[in-house]
């Protein structure tokens, strides 16, 4: 599916939910995709992208930024504290804050680099042991901690369990954000971004539906 079709679907889903048609931002998830595919989307005028690995993003985005203005790059994968500084230099939003130590590292890196990036807290809505993210009952505590460190926490992000309907997870994330007074909701991927838009998503992270399948090593 191309960029125009995905954007049209998002607009329609937002309108169907009684929201403004442009209220859902499309994050094009370019991880593992060949540079030609990414560049085609850049040439079509799209500027908001997501990457899940710092190292991989560091290898390709500085080059793209030399040729295209106004790129906004979101980190959507786990971040190790020792990569916080590179991440703060490279990205425009960090979507995966999930522990106090990372809040410490990000706050320190942002001060050193002189960039105050917006941050989202990743919530493990399915409470899956192998998955990153803070569990819902610990969200408030982490939010408070991150704010004490001076981080600009704007919202929440989640990746629902693969084997469950996503709707209830989106509803839970929306409820948690509302209770915490946070406006940004990053939820929805290739298979469920229309559902996510109905549940109030402000950012959907779409990879394979836009770029084609990824060939993981
Ligand atoms: C890879 C990835 C996506 C995009 O997945 P698709 O199913 O290809 O759309 C979204 N969010 C995160 C966190 C990812 O790692």
């Amino acid at each position: 599916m191309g960029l125009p079709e995905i954007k049209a679907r998002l607009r329609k889903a937002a309108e169907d939910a009684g929201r403004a048609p442009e209220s859902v931002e499309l994050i094009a998830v370019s991880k593992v995709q060949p540079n030609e595919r990414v560049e085609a989307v850049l040439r079509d005028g799209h500027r908001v992208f997501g990457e899940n690995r710092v190292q991989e993003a560091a290898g390709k985005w500085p080059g793209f930024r030399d040729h295209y203005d106004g790129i906004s790059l979101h980190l959507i994968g786990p971040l190790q504290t020792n990569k916080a500084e590179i991440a703060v230099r490279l990205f425009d939003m960090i979507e995966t804050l999930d522990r106090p130590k990372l809040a410490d590292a990000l706050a320190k890196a942002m001060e050193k680099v002189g960039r105050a990036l917006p941050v989202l807290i990743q919530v493990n809505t399915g409470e899956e042991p192998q998955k990153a993210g803070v569990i819902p009952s610990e969200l408030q505590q982490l939010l408070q901690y991150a704010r004490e460190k001076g981080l600009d926490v704007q919202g929440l992000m989640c990746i629902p369990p693969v084997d469950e309907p996503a709707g209830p997870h989106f509803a839970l994330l929306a409820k948690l954000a509302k209770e915490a007074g946070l406006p940004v909701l990053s939820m929805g991927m290739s298979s469920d971004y229309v559902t996510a838009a109905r549940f109030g998503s402000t950012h959907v992270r779409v990879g394979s539906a836009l770029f084609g399948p990824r060939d993981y090593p």
Side-chain angles (χ1 to χ4, degrees):
M1 206 180 308
L3 187 63
E5 289 97 323
I6 291 177
K7 287 195 160 170
R9 282 185 172 202
L10 272 178
R11 277 197 297 274
K12 183 169 184 311
E15 280 184 316
D16 288 349
R19 307 172 57 203
E22 305 294 336
S23 55
V24 189
E25 180 106 66
L26 173 65
I27 302 174
V29 177
S30 48
K31 66 185 187 199
V32 198
Q33 296 290 351
N35 282 351
E36 309 86 71
R37 290 189 194 165
V38 180
E39 192 130 27
V41 172
L42 279 163
R43 273 199 304 274
D44 282 343
H46 195 73
R47 290 295 181 266
V48 186
F49 291 83
E51 288 281 348
N52 73 330
R53 295 204 175 112
V54 174
Q55 219 62 43
E56 185 189 337
K60 60 190 189 195
W61 283 97
F64 286 140
R65 285 195 200 267
D66 285 344
H67 292 95
Y68 298 90
D69 282 336
I71 289 171
S72 176
L73 195 58
H74 292 229
L75 178 63
I76 61 170
L79 179 57
Q80 295 166 260
T81 50
N82 63 2
K83 298 219 174 93
E85 189 181 326
I86 325 180
V88 166
R89 291 183 191 278
L90 190 61
F91 289 91
D92 301 289
M93 186 189 271
I94 307 289
E95 296 204 7
T96 50
L97 173 61
D98 64 354
R99 58 201 191 279
K101 269 203 168 15
L102 184 56
D104 293 339
L106 282 171
K108 210 170 133 193
M110 287 183 201
E111 188 171 324
K112 180 169 175 202
V113 175
R115 295 188 84 204
L117 302 189
V119 170
L120 307 184
I121 292 179
Q122 181 175 357
V123 182
N124 185 356
T125 56
E127 306 202 17
E128 298 170 276
Q130 82 286 5
K131 194 169 271 179
V134 66
I135 60 171
S137 61
E138 289 169 4
L139 169 62
Q140 197 51 47
Q141 208 180 344
L142 180 59
L143 175 61
Q144 197 181 332
Y145 186 82
R147 285 187 167 147
E148 280 164 17
K149 293 282 154 186
L151 295 179
D152 175 20
V153 182
Q154 297 192 348
L156 305 179
M157 176 271 210
C158 77
I159 309 170
V162 287
D163 54 351
E164 287 179 31
H169 294 275
F170 296 156
L172 172 59
L173 198 72
K175 175 174 166 276
L176 292 168
K178 190 163 185 237
E179 286 168 359
L182 295 167
V184 176
L185 275 177
S186 175
M187 56 189 197
M189 305 177 22
S190 286
S191 58
D192 51 24
Y193 63 92
V194 167
T195 308
R198 295 210 180 97
F199 278 96
S201 181
T202 62
H203 293 68
V204 293
R205 309 177 308 267
V206 178
S208 40
L210 174 63
F211 291 106
R214 286 181 293 273
D215 303 319
Y216 274 114

